[in-house]
Amino acid sequence: MKVERKKWSEEFSEWYNELIETAGIQDKRYPVKGMNIWLPYGLKIMRNIERFIHAEMERTGHGEVLFPALIPETEFQKEAEHIAGFEGEVFWVTHAGHDPLDIKLILRPTSETAMYSMFALWIRSHADLPFKIYQIVNTYRYETKHTRPLIRVREISRFFEAHTAHDSFEDAERQIKEDLEIFNNLAKFLAIPYIVSKRPEWDKFPGAYYSLGAEVMMPDGRTLQIGTMHNYRQNFAKAYEILYETEDGNHEYVHQTTFGMSERLLAAVIAIHGDDRGMVLPPTIAPIQVVIVPIPKKDAEADVFAYAREIADELKAAGIRVHVDERDIRPGRKFYDWELKGVPLRIEVGPRDVEGRKAVLARRDTLMKETVEREGLVEVIRKTLDEIHANLYTRAEEFLRSHIKRVDTIEEAKAVFEDRRGVVEIPWCGEEECGLKMEEELDAKMLGTPYPEEKAKEGIEGKKCPICGRGAKFIARFARTY
C-alpha cells in the first residue's frame, strides 16, 4: 500500500480541522469562539509531551510554580513596551458581582507582569542566582484573526513558560543556549525538524533585547512558530526593581530570559507526520503504541481473543502501551479507526496466526505489513517502533529542507512563493526600511536571520540587498506564516 498525502498537502486546512474532531483531539463547539475543549485522547497525547518537558526542566534545575491567572492593571502597566505590545489583545475583568473594581484586572496574556513583582521580593543576593522557574498554565489573548484549534486560539490552555534571572548578560546567554538544547531534545522526541531565526527588531517580543523563534514547515508550505526564547537584558528588572546584592556589597539589576511553548507542539506533530488516512503519532507520545486486532473466523477452533490478550500482557510487562480492540465490529472498521488516531503499530491475529504462533505487524507510517514469529515479539516491536520514529523524522526533514530556497532577487522570491511556498532566504543589508519593503513586496513575514549568528552570514560575500543595492550583511528568511 502507498501512503497518500494528496488531501494533506492540497487541502491542508480542511484536512486539519476535520482531523482535530474525528481523531478525538478537541471539540470546537464550545460557545466561546477560540476556546476549545480538550477530549481524553488529545489530552493524553499532550500530557505525554508535557511529561518530557517536566523531565527536562527537572534535569536543568528549574522549579515548577503556579501563578494566579489575574494580574492587576497596576503591575501590567510597569513595562511600557510590553503594554504597547499586548494591550490590544487582553481580556479585562472590571466587576466583582455588581461592583466595579477599584483596580481593573487582566487575564494573563503571558506572565512577566505577574511574576516580576514577586521576583523583586524573592531575589535578594548573588547566592539566589541563577533563579529558574517554569509553569504550564492557561493564558488568554483576544485573537481577532481567524481562530484555528491548537494554532490560533483565545485561550492557550497548555502554555509553557520558563522564566530565569541571572547575575550577568553572559550567564543569561548561557541560559538561552540551554533553552535551545532543551528544545532540540524535545523536537527529537517529537520527530520534528525545525529552524531557528533571530527575529528582526520590529518583530521581537515586547520588552525583549532580542528574540529567537523556532519554526516548523506545515504541509501547505506555511511556517508555524512552536517555540520562542527571549533575552530581556535588564529591561524588566529595571521596571520591576529586581535587584540583587553582589559579592562586594553593591546592588545590581538582574538579567532575565524566558522560554515559551504551547499546544502548538501538538499541532505541529499532527500536521507534519499526518497523511490522508489521519494522524501518524511518534511512538514516544502515542497513548497507545500498539493496538491488537483479533480477527475471529466462524467455526475456527483457535481462540484469537485469548492469544491477543496473551501478547498484550507480555507487551505491557515490557513497558509498551498496548490496547486489544475487542469491539464487535468488522476488522476493517477497526483498522480505519486506529489509523485515523495515528497508532504507530497494529498487530493482527487470526486463527492461522494462533496455530502457527505468528502475528501480522502493520506499520502506520509506511502502511507496510509483515508476518513475524510469536517468539521474540517484544524485541521485534521495540525495534519497529524505533524505526517508525526515525522514519518520521527523516521524512519530515526532507520535506523541510526541500522547502527552503535561497535566492538573490525579489522576482525569484516571488516565484518560489507562487510555486510551492516554504521559506525563502534573501541577502539583506540589515536596514529595517528594506526589510519591511521586502515583507510588503513578497506579501510574507520576515522570520529573521538564521541562528546561531554565524549562519546568518554564510554565503553572503559579494551579495547585495535587492531593495537598496548596498552590500548584504545578513541572510534574511521570509515565509507565509500561521
Side-chain angles (χ1 to χ4, degrees):
M1 267 193 246
K2 188 173 174 293
V3 174
E4 296 282 340
R5 297 184 105 183
K6 191 169 162 54
K7 187 171 184 184
W8 173 84
S9 64
E10 292 173 13
E11 300 165 46
F12 171 68
S13 197
E14 193 185 313
W15 174 91
Y16 177 82
N17 287 337
E18 207 175 278
L19 192 55
I20 290 291
E21 293 199 9
T22 55
I25 305 299
Q26 284 193 335
D27 193 322
K28 306 191 285 274
R29 294 171 296 182
Y30 190 70
V32 181
K33 183 176 181 274
M35 296 188 184
N36 305 317
I37 303 155
W38 280 95
L39 298 172
Y41 192 65
L43 196 54
K44 272 184 180 162
I45 305 169
M46 195 65 219
R47 293 271 193 244
N48 286 342
I49 295 173
E50 286 170 8
R51 199 168 290 124
F52 185 87
I53 295 171
H54 284 298
E56 283 291 287
M57 289 290 102
E58 185 75 20
R59 178 182 72 80
T60 51
H62 290 73
E64 188 179 10
V65 296
L66 197 52
F67 268 73
L70 294 171
I71 303 172
E73 183 180 23
T74 45
E75 292 304 318
F76 179 61
Q77 286 183 334
K78 284 183 179 172
E79 214 288 333
E81 270 182 48
H82 191 75
I83 309 167
F86 279 107
E87 205 167 26
E89 51 188 72
V90 296
F91 285 93
W92 291 96
V93 177
T94 58
H95 284 69
H98 297 297
D99 306 323
L101 294 171
D102 293 343
I103 295 171
K104 288 193 294 184
L105 305 170
I106 65 161
L107 279 170
R108 62 177 160 227
T110 171
S111 298
E112 283 73 8
T113 58
M115 290 183 172
Y116 296 165
S117 56
M118 300 309 297
F119 274 34
L121 301 175
W122 293 340
I123 296 167
R124 287 277 171 249
S125 113
H126 61 89
D128 299 324
L129 301 172
F131 182 79
K132 299 160 75 163
I133 60 169
Y134 79 101
Q135 62 178 8
I136 298 177
V137 292
N138 331 42
T139 60
Y140 300 85
R141 296 178 189 179
Y142 181 65
E143 279 290 354
T144 51
K145 292 181 186 168
H146 180 63
T147 60
R148 190 186 300 269
L150 309 178
I151 290 176
R152 191 166 284 287
V153 289
R154 289 179 176 175
E155 179 185 47
I156 305 168
S157 55
R158 311 305 307 153
F159 185 73
F160 161 87
E161 49 183 334
H163 294 255
T164 68
H166 306 266
D167 61 5
S168 65
F169 178 70
E170 290 68 36
D171 200 52
E173 286 289 270
R174 268 196 292 278
Q175 183 58 49
I176 297 284
K177 283 200 173 61
E178 182 179 88
D179 295 342
L180 287 163
E181 176 205 319
I182 293 166
F183 187 81
N184 192 49
N185 292 344
L186 175 62
K188 281 183 181 155
F189 180 73
L190 301 175
I192 286 180
Y194 62 95
I195 55 172
V196 176
S197 308
K198 187 175 184 178
R199 295 281 182 255
E201 280 296 304
W202 62 90
D203 193 36
K204 64 185 186 183
F205 182 81
Y209 169 59
Y210 72 78
S211 294
L212 303 179
E215 257 86 23
V216 293
M217 186 64 62
M218 299 292 262
D220 58 359
R222 289 208 264 169
T223 60
L224 177 72
Q225 173 184 290
I226 59 166
T228 52
M229 300 90 189
H230 313 287
N231 189 326
Y232 293 156
R233 264 199 151 149
Q234 296 169 311
N235 296 353
F236 281 96
K238 286 172 180 170
Y240 287 84
E241 288 294 308
I242 311 170
L243 292 149
Y244 73 98
E245 191 174 340
T246 63
E247 286 186 56
D248 51 20
N250 293 320
H251 286 87
E252 293 280 350
Y253 288 108
V254 297
H255 286 257
Q256 288 172 273
T257 79
T258 57
F259 172 21
M261 298 181 286
S262 72
E263 58 262 43
R264 278 185 166 203
L265 290 166
L266 178 52
V269 167
I270 293 169
I272 290 167
H273 300 315
D275 62 26
D276 289 358
R277 291 176 183 227
M279 295 199 298
V280 183
L281 292 174
T284 46
I285 59 166
I288 298 168
Q289 294 168 312
V290 178
V291 65
I292 305 176
V293 179
I295 305 172
K297 291 262 192 312
K298 266 190 183 153
D299 309 326
E301 292 283 305
D303 187 345
V304 291
F305 293 101
Y307 188 64
R309 286 181 214 125
E310 175 199 308
I311 293 173
D313 289 343
E314 192 184 338
L315 295 181
K316 263 181 206 149
I320 292 164
R321 297 188 289 277
V322 61
H323 173 72
V324 181
D325 187 347
E326 298 193 30
R327 291 177 297 167
D328 188 15
I329 55 174
R330 290 199 321 277
R333 178 64 205 278
K334 294 180 183 183
F335 297 169
Y336 174 85
D337 285 352
W338 297 116
E339 284 175 359
L340 180 71
K341 286 181 173 287
V343 173
L345 195 57
R346 183 174 75 237
I347 300 179
E348 301 165 17
V349 290
R352 270 206 206 141
D353 301 305
V354 180
E355 284 155 14
R357 301 290 290 167
K358 294 187 187 317
V360 176
L361 303 189
R363 281 174 60 154
R364 178 63 188 87
D365 60 331
T366 60
L367 305 175
M368 303 286 278
K369 285 189 182 190
E370 65 167 330
T371 303
V372 297
E373 296 294 330
R374 170 73 183 83
E375 277 314 300
L377 189 61
V378 169
E379 274 319 300
V380 171
I381 283 173
R382 279 218 176 100
K383 186 167 166 280
T384 307
L385 290 174
D386 287 346
E387 283 169 7
I388 290 170
H389 195 90
N391 180 48
L392 288 178
Y393 185 83
T394 305
R395 180 170 76 177
E397 189 170 42
E398 281 166 7
F399 185 81
L400 172 66
R401 296 291 154 223
S402 70
H403 281 75
I404 299 175
K405 189 103 187 333
R406 189 164 286 200
V407 299
D408 290 332
T409 68
I410 296 293
E411 283 60 44
E412 287 174 297
K414 280 182 180 168
V416 172
F417 282 130
E418 271 162 36
D419 175 30
R420 57 186 318 197
R421 296 203 178 156
V423 172
V424 177
E425 297 184 333
I426 315 181
W428 175 46
C429 63
E431 292 299 319
E432 186 168 325
E433 196 182 330
C434 292
L436 291 170
K437 185 89 174 109
M438 283 198 263
E439 283 193 333
E440 191 188 319
E441 290 207 17
L442 296 174
D443 186 24
K445 190 178 167 192
M446 188 195 281
L447 300 178
T449 53
Y451 190 86
E453 314 268 1
E454 55 273 16
K455 281 191 179 175
K457 296 183 186 297
E458 277 175 13
I460 57 162
E461 300 77 24
K463 300 287 183 189
K464 292 194 165 28
C465 172
I467 300 295
C468 65
R470 285 185 295 236
K473 290 183 184 164
F474 308 100
I475 288 297
R477 286 177 174 151
F478 291 83
R480 309 256 163 94
T481 64
Y482 273 98

